[in-house]
Amino acid sequence: MLRTSVPLALVCLAAAARGDTPTPSPPKLRLGDAAVPVRYAARLRIVPSEPTFAGTIDIELKLKAPAAVVWMNGTNLTIARAAFDVGGKQIPARSVAGDENFLGFAVEGSVPAGPIRLHVDYTGVVSRKDDRGLFAQREGERWYALTQLEAISARRVFPCFDEPSFKVPWQLTIEAPKADVVFSNTSPASEREEHEGMKTVAFAPTPPLPSYLVALAVGPYDVVDIGPAGRKKTPQRIAAPSGRAGDTRFAAKVTGDVVARLEDYFGIPFPYDKLDEVSVPLPTSFGAMENPGMITWAQSWIVARAEDESIPFQRNYVEVAAHEIAHQWFGDMVTLAWWDDVWLNESFASWLAGRIVEAMHPEWTHGTHPVDIRGQAMSADSLVTARQIRQPIVTNDDIFNAFDVGITYNKGEAVLDMFERFIGADVFQKGIRRYMADHAHGVATADDFFAAMSAAAGRDLSPAFRTFLDQPGVPLVTAALACAPGKPAALEVTQERYVPLGAVGAAPQTWQVPVCVKWRTAGVTRRSCTLVTEKRATLPLGDGCPEWVLANDGAAGYYRVAYRGDLLGRLLGGTKPLDLPETVGTLDDVRALVENGMLPVGDVLAFVAPLAADPRRPIVAGAAALAGGIYEHLVPERLRPNYRRFVQKEFGARARKLGWRPAPDEDDDTRLLRPIVVGLVADKGEDRALRAEAIELTRKWIADRKAIAPGLVEAVLATAAAAGDRALFDALLAEAKRSPERRDRQRILAALARFRDPKIAQAALDLVVGDQFDARETQAILFTESGWPTTRPLAWDLVRKRFDVIAARWPADTLAFLPFVATSFCDQQHLDEMAAFFKDRSAKIPGGPRILAQASEAARLCMAYKKTHAASAAKFVADY
């Protein structure tokens, strides 16, 4: 954290007193406290179809000391006029260019200390490429303008103090086309018509907000009133693109329930005066955003035709709605003080959203959601280049990287889940409520959160929390059972950092790990939790030798487990003592032990047959992942026929029974399992009948969108494409060009990237750099084509030969991930090529250096994994 020890304004003032005329220097990262905002009032003129906007802003300030220049944030803003108002006296100011993040306002002489007001007239840019700042998108012939200001893009819309600790009221007034609807964080206080087809909407002042949570939207929306929600009868509306009001039925049905459940958890009514959910036409890098009172959504996540309301659509909506609405309390009402604590907002909202989904629809996850998130987090956290959850913020790149889904969201969620299990759900909730009450409408830090939790638990949890927040990596707990006649049983555990094959440079680490153990002795199941703070520990299990021991009760602990002796066999065989989440978690640990070389892959593949026959969907899905995961790099071409027989033998009968056409009375488990199993057998198992049926259904779907059942469109189209010819490609491409429905175009474009013939693949890749579709719709094609051996070289060639074209068209947030196109080659040659090509280019992209380092490490890990396990996998499939 960099703060200016001496305000730069005072340095400039001292220089002026000496008669010097220095060029004022902007801050390096943070603004410091020489000037702080008290209140903003901004007026913007926005016409969504125009490339610029005009603005005026009045900022009430407090100056700590007299200043010749006041620095704040501003990016791509053109200042027309600026003046300070000091006690009614106007002091003209000139704008001073800093770097791309800072804007100064300088005066002759100085501005006195104390309260002042700054007035600025300016213009800014409405982006058509990036979804940062104020951006515009077109749906058909209609234009929509919206904001996305998190993390540091408010400075693209307003001269302001664009740091989260500056939390003050805002009042917005928007001049917009009369036919458009205008939204912001609060309800309109007034609206009047202007000349030339314009209108002015003045919004009520907001409660205190940091700049990144200010929001607005302008466009020809259809507004759906979905009724009041919660204890205060909070008004709720959904803003759908023109003509799509009827396609918000699912969101309209369930949002009020989500609000009510969150009010019950926090014990606080919804904290703002209304809740609008506003759709964004094109795909976005942010998906959804928790602006207080005005959540923005990627259109395909909230708007759907009846035939598209699949279980995955419904689950995604409930989960994301719960996440973003939870932020209205945790993240909006109480806000982070600086970006190193963004994990706290995001991980908690994700954790609570998972609980809401489980409560509303337990049949969707059967309690396995936390275990799935834990596994995803550990996969990301196993990299030596993984960032720690609470990463120090030294540059703007660090702010970009702080929104890392694998670490900030998923690892944070998993760590919170572990500590909730450790201290108890009621105590954890008590701590949350205390934290909210102590910091309502203010800012808070991780230390404040630890203090509230420790007070609720009656013990200091900070040291244990910090070992998971302030260092990267996953603990590997090795468990061995100690049983000797006449002595109490015990579990001997050791901890170290888990690292996969090929990892280089991991330092020795220990954590304070809440290890929760479950075991059975003489028919009685017992549980115990211990905070393991040293490298080795002995956990007593009482008298008698246990029948089995689970070293991660409930699979809630954020650690991998390696069992010594026959402990793993006792858990996964015979009596099957584990519940479903524990089974899923143990199998995920087994997979991880293959990745670090402790278990040969052939031994683990032996689990596929019994798992594939299991009646529980999550278990079968895990078996399918094991079977499918070896295909790419571990099965040589000569053994592909054997591999196909393996897939067909273990999954074929179930896949053919399920087929591509659901029965009307099926349960949700069956519908969710179908694309996993049928997709595996049709694609990697190369089942001719299922492929032919997929092609037939795809051709019917082109003419009739109801030809494929909800939840299967993507899987059927992908399967058809993998086996399809140029005629099918052309038919799908023609349909994508004429389809007005954005979701359909996304599905079709995703399928176009699945054709395996290199000539056809090249036609798909040409769309990435062509102008037939918006660049945001085609960018996924490049990454998909990199995932198949016959098309991967074409994708990599496109990156190298047309990088400048791609860079000019793609949002910067996506551009940073281009090195991963080369990662999937899994060889040294392409790793070297990637490093050389992106060394200078990644340095110029937000977040690029860290992402390049992670892509490089992923390639090295892939090579080590292939070298270690190829022989074992080949030996296994050779028997089929």
Side-chain angles (χ1 to χ4, degrees):
M1 184 182 296
L2 297 179
R3 283 189 177 273
T4 306
S5 57
V6 179
L8 287 169
L10 300 185
V11 174
C12 296
L13 182 59
R18 295 193 304 267
D20 302 335
T21 57
T23 299
S25 298
K28 299 301 182 184
L29 178 67
R30 302 192 67 172
L31 289 164
D33 60 357
V36 296
V38 175
R39 184 175 289 102
Y40 296 90
R43 181 186 179 108
L44 304 179
R45 184 186 187 278
I46 299 170
V47 178
S49 61
E50 295 181 357
T52 61
F53 68 93
T56 65
I57 191 166
D58 288 282
I59 311 174
E60 294 183 26
L61 304 165
K62 285 185 179 179
L63 286 189
K64 195 172 185 180
V69 60
V70 174
W71 287 104
M72 60 187 66
N73 298 110
T75 299
N76 291 338
L77 301 177
T78 301
I79 307 302
R81 186 177 73 89
F84 289 99
D85 183 320
V86 182
K89 178 183 177 182
Q90 296 292 308
I91 304 176
R94 61 182 176 87
S95 62
V96 179
D99 62 18
E100 63 177 351
N101 290 293
F102 295 101
L103 180 63
F105 293 95
V107 300
E108 295 296 329
S110 65
V111 182
I116 62 172
R117 176 177 295 187
L118 173 64
H119 176 89
V120 185
D121 296 334
Y122 64 100
T123 57
V125 176
V126 181
S127 176
R128 302 288 174 84
K129 183 182 79 165
D130 293 307
D131 48 29
R132 292 183 292 167
L134 179 62
F135 64 94
Q137 296 183 353
R138 186 168 63 181
E139 180 81 346
E141 297 303 315
R142 299 180 176 92
W143 282 92
Y144 299 80
L146 303 101
T147 53
Q148 170 61 19
L149 306 187
E150 188 181 50
I152 54 172
S153 291
R155 63 194 64 179
R156 298 173 181 270
V157 184
F158 315 101
C160 62
F161 294 77
D162 198 15
E163 296 180 19
S165 62
F166 298 121
K167 188 174 185 180
V168 300
W170 287 72
Q171 192 278 315
L172 296 186
T173 300
I174 308 299
E175 185 180 353
K178 183 170 60 178
D180 285 345
V181 187
V182 185
F183 300 89
S184 189
N185 303 94
T186 56
S187 299
S190 67
E191 181 174 325
R192 69 174 186 272
E193 291 190 12
E194 305 286 1
H195 59 285
E196 297 179 353
M198 301 292 285
K199 66 181 178 183
T200 298
V201 182
F203 291 92
T206 70
L209 294 181
S211 54
Y212 80 91
L213 288 176
V214 175
L216 61 91
V218 178
Y221 285 100
D222 285 352
V223 181
V224 183
D225 187 335
I226 63 173
R231 302 176 185 181
K232 298 191 307 181
K233 305 298 182 185
T234 302
Q236 299 180 107
R237 301 184 300 174
I238 298 175
S242 180
R244 302 297 301 273
D247 294 333
T248 62
R249 65 186 67 77
F250 183 76
K253 176 183 175 182
V254 304
T255 304
D257 190 10
V258 173
V259 170
R261 290 173 183 270
L262 289 168
E263 287 186 336
D264 288 344
Y265 187 83
F266 288 112
I268 302 170
F270 187 80
Y272 300 100
D273 70 344
K274 51 102 176 169
L275 175 59
D276 289 333
E277 298 180 277
V278 181
S279 65
V280 184
L282 281 162
T284 63
S285 61
F286 58 88
M289 176 63 198
E290 69 267 17
N291 310 300
M294 196 202 105
I295 297 171
T296 47
W297 284 82
Q299 177 181 310
S300 61
W301 288 9
I302 190 170
V303 177
R305 299 166 303 195
E307 60 266 31
D308 293 324
E309 287 184 359
S310 63
I311 297 170
F313 169 82
Q314 293 176 7
R315 177 179 172 181
N316 184 70
Y317 177 78
V318 172
E319 187 169 344
V320 177
H323 178 109
E324 305 302 340
I325 299 172
H327 271 315
Q328 306 293 298
W329 288 268
F330 203 112
D332 292 358
M333 190 176 87
V334 178
T335 319
L336 72 162
W338 181 235
W339 296 113
D340 54 354
D341 277 329
V342 71
W343 73 274
L344 187 55
N345 291 356
E346 300 299 348
S347 61
F348 179 81
S350 295
W351 174 84
L352 187 51
R355 296 305 174 93
I356 296 293
V357 172
E358 292 276 7
M360 292 177 67
H361 290 280
E363 73 279 8
W364 287 349
T365 66
H366 300 289
T368 62
H369 172 80
V371 186
D372 294 338
I373 292 298
R374 165 185 172 269
Q376 294 167 25
M378 289 183 176
S379 292
D381 203 19
S382 65
L383 296 177
V384 175
T385 53
R387 52 182 295 279
Q388 60 203 56
I389 295 180
R390 198 168 190 261
Q391 186 76 27
I393 304 297
V394 179
T395 68
N396 284 342
D397 274 351
D398 294 327
I399 298 175
F400 178 90
N401 292 136
F403 290 86
D404 174 353
V405 172
I407 302 301
T408 296
Y409 292 69
N410 293 347
K411 181 179 179 180
E413 176 181 351
V415 168
L416 291 179
D417 193 66
M418 172 175 66
F419 278 98
E420 188 217 27
R421 175 67 68 99
F422 183 56
I423 65 176
D426 291 343
V427 173
F428 189 85
Q429 184 182 31
K430 182 181 176 182
I432 294 297
R433 290 184 171 188
R434 179 173 186 141
Y435 171 80
M436 297 301 300
D438 287 349
H439 305 285
H441 296 292
V443 298
T445 66
D447 288 338
D448 297 320
F449 178 76
F450 301 153
M453 281 294 167
S454 298
R459 53 178 160 166
D460 186 6
L461 298 173
S462 298
F465 259 116
R466 289 185 186 283
T467 63
F468 287 90
L469 297 178
D470 295 339
Q471 62 180 344
V474 180
L476 172 63
V477 173
T478 301
L481 182 61
C483 283
K487 293 184 177 181
L491 193 68
E492 305 285 349
V493 300
T494 60
Q495 61 159 309
E496 60 186 308
R497 181 170 180 172
Y498 169 88
V499 289
L501 290 161
V504 177
Q509 292 176 232
T510 57
W511 290 258
Q512 294 194 16
V513 187
V515 175
C516 292
V517 180
K518 180 170 70 171
W519 70 97
R520 182 180 295 164
T521 303
V524 179
T525 300
R526 296 179 172 86
R527 291 176 169 84
S528 176
C529 287
T530 304
L531 192 66
V532 176
T533 60
E534 304 296 333
K535 184 174 178 60
R536 291 178 175 81
T538 299
L539 311 183
L541 302 180
D543 295 331
C545 195
E547 302 161 28
W548 51 262
V549 180
L550 175 67
N552 193 349
D553 182 25
Y558 190 78
Y559 52 89
R560 297 291 189 192
V561 180
Y563 292 97
R564 297 297 188 194
D566 65 346
L567 288 178
L568 181 62
R570 297 190 203 181
L571 293 174
L572 295 179
T575 60
K576 292 183 171 57
L578 307 183
D579 64 20
L580 180 56
E582 291 167 345
T583 304
V584 172
T586 302
L587 290 173
D588 189 59
D589 283 347
V590 168
R591 178 195 58 76
L593 295 179
V594 172
E595 291 185 353
N596 82 338
M598 293 182 73
L599 293 174
V601 72
D603 290 2
V604 175
L605 289 170
F607 286 113
V608 168
L611 295 175
D614 197 286
R616 297 168 293 179
R617 170 177 52 85
I619 302 300
V620 179
L626 281 174
I630 67 168
Y631 180 84
E632 173 62 20
H633 294 299
L634 298 185
V635 179
E637 189 64 36
R638 64 183 176 81
L639 290 177
R640 292 289 165 89
N642 301 65
Y643 176 81
R644 291 192 288 271
R645 288 194 291 272
F646 160 58
V647 171
Q648 287 281 356
K649 179 179 179 182
E650 307 306 346
F651 299 94
R654 178 173 271 183
R656 286 184 285 275
K657 181 179 179 181
L658 288 168
W660 288 119
R661 292 176 169 88
D665 58 346
E666 283 182 347
D667 59 21
D668 286 354
D669 267 331
T670 303
R671 293 179 182 274
L672 291 168
L673 182 62
R674 177 175 283 103
I676 297 171
V677 174
V678 180
L680 174 67
V681 173
D683 183 16
K684 293 187 171 66
E686 297 186 20
D687 188 284
R688 292 183 180 179
L690 291 174
R691 285 183 162 194
E693 187 179 8
I695 292 172
E696 176 193 354
L697 287 170
T698 297
R699 294 192 180 279
K700 290 181 178 179
W701 181 85
I702 290 173
D704 177 9
R705 295 296 191 263
K706 296 181 180 180
I708 301 175
L712 288 178
V713 176
E714 291 83 358
V716 171
L717 266 59
T719 299
D725 56 15
R726 184 58 189 250
L728 181 62
F729 178 92
D730 290 341
L732 284 167
L733 178 56
E735 182 61 19
K737 290 178 179 178
R738 63 176 168 258
S739 176
E741 167 61 30
R742 195 171 299 282
R743 177 181 276 102
D744 288 344
R745 288 204 302 279
Q746 288 177 283
R747 289 164 163 170
I748 295 169
L749 291 169
L752 293 179
R754 298 281 183 175
F755 285 80
R756 305 288 165 76
D757 184 324
K759 293 181 180 178
I760 302 176
Q762 187 61 61
L765 286 166
D766 289 343
L767 299 174
V768 176
V769 291
D771 57 5
Q772 299 179 60
F773 301 95
D774 188 285
R776 284 161 287 202
E777 293 184 303
T778 60
Q779 59 192 12
I781 292 174
L782 185 56
F783 295 102
T784 303
E785 295 285 13
S786 72
W788 190 253
T790 57
T791 62
R792 187 176 296 135
L794 300 175
W796 181 227
D797 283 348
L798 187 73
V799 170
R800 292 186 295 171
K801 294 176 181 177
R802 306 297 297 277
F803 177 84
D804 290 343
V805 175
I806 295 170
R809 289 167 53 82
W810 281 24
D813 291 353
T814 310
L815 194 66
F817 291 92
L818 276 181
F820 280 97
V821 173
T823 295
S824 51
F825 283 99
C826 199
D827 62 34
Q828 189 64 46
Q829 173 192 334
H830 290 91
L831 173 58
D832 293 342
E833 289 179 3
M834 177 221 297
F837 185 81
F838 281 106
K839 179 182 178 182
D840 295 330
R841 290 174 174 87
S842 289
K844 301 173 184 176
I845 303 170
R850 177 178 289 276
I851 293 170
L852 175 59
Q854 293 188 326
S856 300
E857 183 178 4
R860 289 192 295 270
L861 298 185
C862 182
M863 287 186 282
Y865 182 80
K866 181 168 64 174
K867 180 179 179 180
T868 300
H869 291 298
S872 177
K875 182 176 183 298
F876 178 84
V877 299
D879 292 336
Y880 280 84

